[in-house]
PDB file of all heavy atoms in Angstrom:
ATOM      1  N   ARG S  22      27.342   1.468  -7.062  1.00 84.00           N
ATOM      2  CA  ARG S  22      26.149   1.983  -7.717  1.00 84.00           C
ATOM      3  C   ARG S  22      24.896   1.323  -7.147  1.00 84.00           C
ATOM      4  O   ARG S  22      23.884   1.979  -6.889  1.00 84.00           O
ATOM      5  CB  ARG S  22      26.250   1.711  -9.219  1.00 84.00           C
ATOM      6  CG  ARG S  22      25.609   2.768 -10.061  1.00 84.00           C
ATOM      7  CD  ARG S  22      26.041   2.625 -11.505  1.00 84.00           C
ATOM      8  NE  ARG S  22      25.828   1.281 -12.011  1.00 84.00           N
ATOM      9  CZ  ARG S  22      26.689   0.658 -12.801  1.00 84.00           C
ATOM     10  NH1 ARG S  22      27.814   1.242 -13.161  1.00 84.00           N
ATOM     11  NH2 ARG S  22      26.428  -0.555 -13.233  1.00 84.00           N
ATOM     12  N   GLY S  23      25.025   0.008  -6.915  1.00 84.00           N
ATOM     13  CA  GLY S  23      23.893  -0.732  -6.363  1.00 84.00           C
ATOM     14  C   GLY S  23      23.487  -0.185  -5.004  1.00 84.00           C
ATOM     15  O   GLY S  23      22.306   0.039  -4.741  1.00 84.00           O
ATOM     16  N   ILE S  24      24.483   0.055  -4.157  1.00 87.00           N
ATOM     17  CA  ILE S  24      24.177   0.549  -2.808  1.00 87.00           C
ATOM     18  C   ILE S  24      23.538   1.927  -2.888  1.00 87.00           C
ATOM     19  O   ILE S  24      22.535   2.213  -2.218  1.00 87.00           O
ATOM     20  CB  ILE S  24      25.470   0.578  -1.951  1.00 87.00           C
ATOM     21  CG1 ILE S  24      25.887  -0.864  -1.660  1.00 87.00           C
ATOM     22  CG2 ILE S  24      25.245   1.336  -0.660  1.00 87.00           C
ATOM     23  CD1 ILE S  24      27.170  -0.988  -0.927  1.00 87.00           C
ATOM     24  N   VAL S  25      24.083   2.781  -3.772  1.00 87.00           N
ATOM     25  CA  VAL S  25      23.526   4.126  -3.913  1.00 87.00           C
ATOM     26  C   VAL S  25      22.073   4.048  -4.368  1.00 87.00           C
ATOM     27  O   VAL S  25      21.182   4.705  -3.821  1.00 87.00           O
ATOM     28  CB  VAL S  25      24.368   4.948  -4.914  1.00 87.00           C
ATOM     29  CG1 VAL S  25      23.647   6.244  -5.271  1.00 87.00           C
ATOM     30  CG2 VAL S  25      25.725   5.266  -4.325  1.00 87.00           C
ATOM     31  N   MET S  26      21.829   3.170  -5.363  1.00 87.00           N
ATOM     32  CA  MET S  26      20.465   3.073  -5.889  1.00 87.00           C
ATOM     33  C   MET S  26      19.499   2.578  -4.820  1.00 87.00           C
ATOM     34  O   MET S  26      18.374   3.070  -4.706  1.00 87.00           O
ATOM     35  CB  MET S  26      20.424   2.145  -7.100  1.00 87.00           C
ATOM     36  CG  MET S  26      20.734   2.867  -8.401  1.00 87.00           C
ATOM     37  SD  MET S  26      20.975   1.723  -9.754  1.00 87.00           S
ATOM     38  CE  MET S  26      19.366   1.016  -9.899  1.00 87.00           C
ATOM     39  N   GLN S  27      19.942   1.605  -4.039  1.00 88.00           N
ATOM     40  CA  GLN S  27      19.047   1.083  -3.003  1.00 88.00           C
ATOM     41  C   GLN S  27      18.756   2.139  -1.952  1.00 88.00           C
ATOM     42  O   GLN S  27      17.626   2.293  -1.499  1.00 88.00           O
ATOM     43  CB  GLN S  27      19.664  -0.148  -2.345  1.00 88.00           C
ATOM     44  CG  GLN S  27      19.829  -1.288  -3.317  1.00 88.00           C
ATOM     45  CD  GLN S  27      20.257  -2.541  -2.614  1.00 88.00           C
ATOM     46  OE1 GLN S  27      19.517  -3.067  -1.807  1.00 88.00           O
ATOM     47  NE2 GLN S  27      21.455  -2.998  -2.906  1.00 88.00           N
ATOM     48  N   LEU S  28      19.821   2.877  -1.563  1.00 91.00           N
ATOM     49  CA  LEU S  28      19.602   3.929  -0.574  1.00 91.00           C
ATOM     50  C   LEU S  28      18.634   4.970  -1.127  1.00 91.00           C
ATOM     51  O   LEU S  28      17.741   5.439  -0.418  1.00 91.00           O
ATOM     52  CB  LEU S  28      20.940   4.592  -0.213  1.00 91.00           C
ATOM     53  CG  LEU S  28      21.843   3.767   0.708  1.00 91.00           C
ATOM     54  CD1 LEU S  28      23.166   4.481   0.939  1.00 91.00           C
ATOM     55  CD2 LEU S  28      21.132   3.506   2.033  1.00 91.00           C
ATOM     56  N   ALA S  29      18.797   5.290  -2.422  1.00 91.00           N
ATOM     57  CA  ALA S  29      17.908   6.275  -3.033  1.00 91.00           C
ATOM     58  C   ALA S  29      16.471   5.771  -3.017  1.00 91.00           C
ATOM     59  O   ALA S  29      15.529   6.506  -2.691  1.00 91.00           O
ATOM     60  CB  ALA S  29      18.354   6.566  -4.457  1.00 91.00           C
ATOM     61  N   ALA S  30      16.290   4.463  -3.349  1.00 90.00           N
ATOM     62  CA  ALA S  30      14.937   3.896  -3.377  1.00 90.00           C
ATOM     63  C   ALA S  30      14.308   3.927  -1.990  1.00 90.00           C
ATOM     64  O   ALA S  30      13.164   4.353  -1.825  1.00 90.00           O
ATOM     65  CB  ALA S  30      14.990   2.462  -3.902  1.00 90.00           C
ATOM     66  N   ILE S  31      15.101   3.496  -0.987  1.00 91.00           N
ATOM     67  CA  ILE S  31      14.557   3.484   0.384  1.00 91.00           C
ATOM     68  C   ILE S  31      14.247   4.904   0.823  1.00 91.00           C
ATOM     69  O   ILE S  31      13.187   5.181   1.409  1.00 91.00           O
ATOM     70  CB  ILE S  31      15.552   2.810   1.349  1.00 91.00           C
ATOM     71  CG1 ILE S  31      15.671   1.335   1.000  1.00 91.00           C
ATOM     72  CG2 ILE S  31      15.096   2.969   2.791  1.00 91.00           C
ATOM     73  CD1 ILE S  31      16.718   0.611   1.791  1.00 91.00           C
ATOM     74  N   GLY S  32      15.156   5.828   0.500  1.00 93.00           N
ATOM     75  CA  GLY S  32      14.932   7.223   0.866  1.00 93.00           C
ATOM     76  C   GLY S  32      13.678   7.766   0.216  1.00 93.00           C
ATOM     77  O   GLY S  32      12.859   8.417   0.868  1.00 93.00           O
ATOM     78  N   GLY S  33      13.505   7.455  -1.080  1.00 92.00           N
ATOM     79  CA  GLY S  33      12.327   7.935  -1.802  1.00 92.00           C
ATOM     80  C   GLY S  33      11.047   7.417  -1.182  1.00 92.00           C
ATOM     81  O   GLY S  33      10.102   8.174  -0.932  1.00 92.00           O
ATOM     82  N   VAL S  34      11.013   6.096  -0.889  1.00 91.00           N
ATOM     83  CA  VAL S  34       9.802   5.494  -0.321  1.00 91.00           C
ATOM     84  C   VAL S  34       9.516   6.090   1.059  1.00 91.00           C
ATOM     85  O   VAL S  34       8.379   6.413   1.394  1.00 91.00           O
ATOM     86  CB  VAL S  34       9.950   3.965  -0.245  1.00 91.00           C
ATOM     87  CG1 VAL S  34       8.823   3.356   0.558  1.00 91.00           C
ATOM     88  CG2 VAL S  34       9.977   3.381  -1.644  1.00 91.00           C
ATOM     89  N   THR S  35      10.597   6.279   1.871  1.00 92.00           N
ATOM     90  CA  THR S  35      10.394   6.840   3.206  1.00 92.00           C
ATOM     91  C   THR S  35       9.841   8.258   3.109  1.00 92.00           C
ATOM     92  O   THR S  35       8.897   8.619   3.837  1.00 92.00           O
ATOM     93  CB  THR S  35      11.729   6.866   3.980  1.00 92.00           C
ATOM     94  OG1 THR S  35      12.408   5.647   3.732  1.00 92.00           O
ATOM     95  CG2 THR S  35      11.498   7.044   5.458  1.00 92.00           C
ATOM     96  N   ALA S  36      10.405   9.050   2.197  1.00 92.00           N
ATOM     97  CA  ALA S  36       9.932  10.428   2.052  1.00 92.00           C
ATOM     98  C   ALA S  36       8.466  10.434   1.623  1.00 92.00           C
ATOM     99  O   ALA S  36       7.651  11.201   2.137  1.00 92.00           O
ATOM    100  CB  ALA S  36      10.787  11.163   1.027  1.00 92.00           C
ATOM    101  N   PHE S  37       8.125   9.533   0.687  1.00 91.00           N
ATOM    102  CA  PHE S  37       6.748   9.446   0.204  1.00 91.00           C
ATOM    103  C   PHE S  37       5.816   9.071   1.354  1.00 91.00           C
ATOM    104  O   PHE S  37       4.762   9.676   1.543  1.00 91.00           O
ATOM    105  CB  PHE S  37       6.694   8.406  -0.910  1.00 91.00           C
ATOM    106  CG  PHE S  37       5.351   8.295  -1.571  1.00 91.00           C
ATOM    107  CD1 PHE S  37       4.825   9.356  -2.285  1.00 91.00           C
ATOM    108  CD2 PHE S  37       4.619   7.119  -1.476  1.00 91.00           C
ATOM    109  CE1 PHE S  37       3.601   9.261  -2.890  1.00 91.00           C
ATOM    110  CE2 PHE S  37       3.386   7.016  -2.080  1.00 91.00           C
ATOM    111  CZ  PHE S  37       2.866   8.083  -2.790  1.00 91.00           C
ATOM    112  N   ALA S  38       6.239   8.063   2.148  1.00 91.00           N
ATOM    113  CA  ALA S  38       5.419   7.625   3.278  1.00 91.00           C
ATOM    114  C   ALA S  38       5.243   8.766   4.268  1.00 91.00           C
ATOM    115  O   ALA S  38       4.141   9.009   4.778  1.00 91.00           O
ATOM    116  CB  ALA S  38       6.061   6.424   3.964  1.00 91.00           C
ATOM    117  N   TYR S  39       6.318   9.515   4.526  1.00 91.00           N
ATOM    118  CA  TYR S  39       6.235  10.627   5.473  1.00 91.00           C
ATOM    119  C   TYR S  39       5.251  11.674   4.958  1.00 91.00           C
ATOM    120  O   TYR S  39       4.400  12.176   5.708  1.00 91.00           O
ATOM    121  CB  TYR S  39       7.614  11.244   5.685  1.00 91.00           C
ATOM    122  CG  TYR S  39       7.568  12.470   6.561  1.00 91.00           C
ATOM    123  CD1 TYR S  39       7.392  12.338   7.936  1.00 91.00           C
ATOM    124  CD2 TYR S  39       7.646  13.742   6.009  1.00 91.00           C
ATOM    125  CE1 TYR S  39       7.306  13.450   8.740  1.00 91.00           C
ATOM    126  CE2 TYR S  39       7.554  14.873   6.808  1.00 91.00           C
ATOM    127  CZ  TYR S  39       7.387  14.725   8.173  1.00 91.00           C
ATOM    128  OH  TYR S  39       7.290  15.830   8.966  1.00 91.00           O
ATOM    129  N   PHE S  40       5.356  11.958   3.636  1.00 89.00           N
ATOM    130  CA  PHE S  40       4.457  12.941   3.003  1.00 89.00           C
ATOM    131  C   PHE S  40       3.007  12.532   3.205  1.00 89.00           C
ATOM    132  O   PHE S  40       2.169  13.322   3.659  1.00 89.00           O
ATOM    133  CB  PHE S  40       4.817  13.001   1.517  1.00 89.00           C
ATOM    134  CG  PHE S  40       3.896  13.827   0.671  1.00 89.00           C
ATOM    135  CD1 PHE S  40       3.906  15.202   0.743  1.00 89.00           C
ATOM    136  CD2 PHE S  40       3.032  13.204  -0.224  1.00 89.00           C
ATOM    137  CE1 PHE S  40       3.074  15.954  -0.044  1.00 89.00           C
ATOM    138  CE2 PHE S  40       2.188  13.959  -1.015  1.00 89.00           C
ATOM    139  CZ  PHE S  40       2.209  15.344  -0.926  1.00 89.00           C
ATOM    140  N   ILE S  41       2.711  11.249   2.918  1.00 86.00           N
ATOM    141  CA  ILE S  41       1.339  10.753   3.035  1.00 86.00           C
ATOM    142  C   ILE S  41       0.864  10.805   4.486  1.00 86.00           C
ATOM    143  O   ILE S  41      -0.222  11.291   4.790  1.00 86.00           O
ATOM    144  CB  ILE S  41       1.258   9.313   2.486  1.00 86.00           C
ATOM    145  CG1 ILE S  41       1.271   9.349   0.975  1.00 86.00           C
ATOM    146  CG2 ILE S  41       0.027   8.610   2.991  1.00 86.00           C
ATOM    147  CD1 ILE S  41       1.204   7.984   0.357  1.00 86.00           C
ATOM    148  N   ILE S  42       1.723  10.318   5.411  1.00 87.00           N
ATOM    149  CA  ILE S  42       1.287  10.213   6.801  1.00 87.00           C
ATOM    150  C   ILE S  42       1.054  11.597   7.400  1.00 87.00           C
ATOM    151  O   ILE S  42       0.057  11.839   8.083  1.00 87.00           O
ATOM    152  CB  ILE S  42       2.320   9.407   7.621  1.00 87.00           C
ATOM    153  CG1 ILE S  42       2.281   7.946   7.174  1.00 87.00           C
ATOM    154  CG2 ILE S  42       2.022   9.494   9.107  1.00 87.00           C
ATOM    155  CD1 ILE S  42       3.413   7.116   7.705  1.00 87.00           C
ATOM    156  N   SER S  43       1.964  12.530   7.096  1.00 87.00           N
ATOM    157  CA  SER S  43       1.784  13.859   7.688  1.00 87.00           C
ATOM    158  C   SER S  43       0.538  14.527   7.115  1.00 87.00           C
ATOM    159  O   SER S  43      -0.232  15.157   7.847  1.00 87.00           O
ATOM    160  CB  SER S  43       3.023  14.721   7.453  1.00 87.00           C
ATOM    161  OG  SER S  43       3.190  14.948   6.077  1.00 87.00           O
ATOM    162  N   ASN S  44       0.307  14.355   5.797  1.00 85.00           N
ATOM    163  CA  ASN S  44      -0.907  14.919   5.196  1.00 85.00           C
ATOM    164  C   ASN S  44      -2.150  14.327   5.834  1.00 85.00           C
ATOM    165  O   ASN S  44      -3.101  15.037   6.157  1.00 85.00           O
ATOM    166  CB  ASN S  44      -0.945  14.637   3.699  1.00 85.00           C
ATOM    167  CG  ASN S  44      -0.082  15.616   2.931  1.00 85.00           C
ATOM    168  OD1 ASN S  44       0.171  16.708   3.407  1.00 85.00           O
ATOM    169  ND2 ASN S  44       0.376  15.204   1.773  1.00 85.00           N
ATOM    170  N   THR S  45      -2.127  12.984   5.983  1.00 84.00           N
ATOM    171  CA  THR S  45      -3.304  12.317   6.547  1.00 84.00           C
ATOM    172  C   THR S  45      -3.577  12.815   7.954  1.00 84.00           C
ATOM    173  O   THR S  45      -4.720  13.108   8.314  1.00 84.00           O
ATOM    174  CB  THR S  45      -3.079  10.796   6.561  1.00 84.00           C
ATOM    175  OG1 THR S  45      -2.616  10.395   5.279  1.00 84.00           O
ATOM    176  CG2 THR S  45      -4.356  10.055   6.879  1.00 84.00           C
ATOM    177  N   ALA S  46      -2.506  12.917   8.762  1.00 84.00           N
ATOM    178  CA  ALA S  46      -2.687  13.375  10.147  1.00 84.00           C
ATOM    179  C   ALA S  46      -3.304  14.769  10.158  1.00 84.00           C
ATOM    180  O   ALA S  46      -4.250  15.038  10.901  1.00 84.00           O
ATOM    181  CB  ALA S  46      -1.339  13.374  10.861  1.00 84.00           C
ATOM    182  N   LYS S  47      -2.793  15.657   9.265  1.00 84.00           N
ATOM    183  CA  LYS S  47      -3.319  17.019   9.210  1.00 84.00           C
ATOM    184  C   LYS S  47      -4.786  17.006   8.790  1.00 84.00           C
ATOM    185  O   LYS S  47      -5.629  17.659   9.401  1.00 84.00           O
ATOM    186  CB  LYS S  47      -2.495  17.829   8.202  1.00 84.00           C
ATOM    187  CG  LYS S  47      -1.728  18.994   8.847  1.00 84.00           C
ATOM    188  CD  LYS S  47      -0.996  19.815   7.802  1.00 84.00           C
ATOM    189  CE  LYS S  47       0.368  19.248   7.484  1.00 84.00           C
ATOM    190  NZ  LYS S  47       1.014  19.832   6.307  1.00 84.00           N
ATOM    191  N   ASN S  48      -5.075  16.228   7.734  1.00 82.00           N
ATOM    192  CA  ASN S  48      -6.445  16.178   7.220  1.00 82.00           C
ATOM    193  C   ASN S  48      -7.421  15.656   8.255  1.00 82.00           C
ATOM    194  O   ASN S  48      -8.525  16.170   8.409  1.00 82.00           O
ATOM    195  CB  ASN S  48      -6.512  15.297   5.966  1.00 82.00           C
ATOM    196  CG  ASN S  48      -6.034  16.037   4.740  1.00 82.00           C
ATOM    197  OD1 ASN S  48      -6.322  17.212   4.576  1.00 82.00           O
ATOM    198  ND2 ASN S  48      -5.291  15.353   3.889  1.00 82.00           N
ATOM    199  N   LEU S  49      -6.999  14.595   8.977  1.00 81.00           N
ATOM    200  CA  LEU S  49      -7.887  14.015   9.989  1.00 81.00           C
ATOM    201  C   LEU S  49      -8.151  15.023  11.098  1.00 81.00           C
ATOM    202  O   LEU S  49      -9.274  15.136  11.598  1.00 81.00           O
ATOM    203  CB  LEU S  49      -7.260  12.733  10.563  1.00 81.00           C
ATOM    204  CG  LEU S  49      -7.222  11.540   9.612  1.00 81.00           C
ATOM    205  CD1 LEU S  49      -6.525  10.364  10.262  1.00 81.00           C
ATOM    206  CD2 LEU S  49      -8.630  11.139   9.201  1.00 81.00           C
ATOM    207  N   LEU S  50      -7.095  15.765  11.468  1.00 81.00           N
ATOM    208  CA  LEU S  50      -7.234  16.772  12.510  1.00 81.00           C
ATOM    209  C   LEU S  50      -8.214  17.856  12.066  1.00 81.00           C
ATOM    210  O   LEU S  50      -9.105  18.258  12.822  1.00 81.00           O
ATOM    211  CB  LEU S  50      -5.865  17.375  12.807  1.00 81.00           C
ATOM    212  CG  LEU S  50      -5.701  17.996  14.199  1.00 81.00           C
ATOM    213  CD1 LEU S  50      -5.772  16.913  15.256  1.00 81.00           C
ATOM    214  CD2 LEU S  50      -4.371  18.739  14.288  1.00 81.00           C
TER     215      LEU S  50
END
Side-chain angles (χ1 to χ4, degrees):
Chain S
R22 213 166 53 220
I24 290 176
V25 169
M26 273 170 65
Q27 296 188 64
L28 284 177
I31 293 174
V34 170
T35 318
F37 185 64
Y39 175 75
F40 173 73
I41 284 180
I42 291 169
S43 64
N44 279 336
T45 311
K47 244 183 274 169
N48 280 321
L49 289 177
L50 204 67

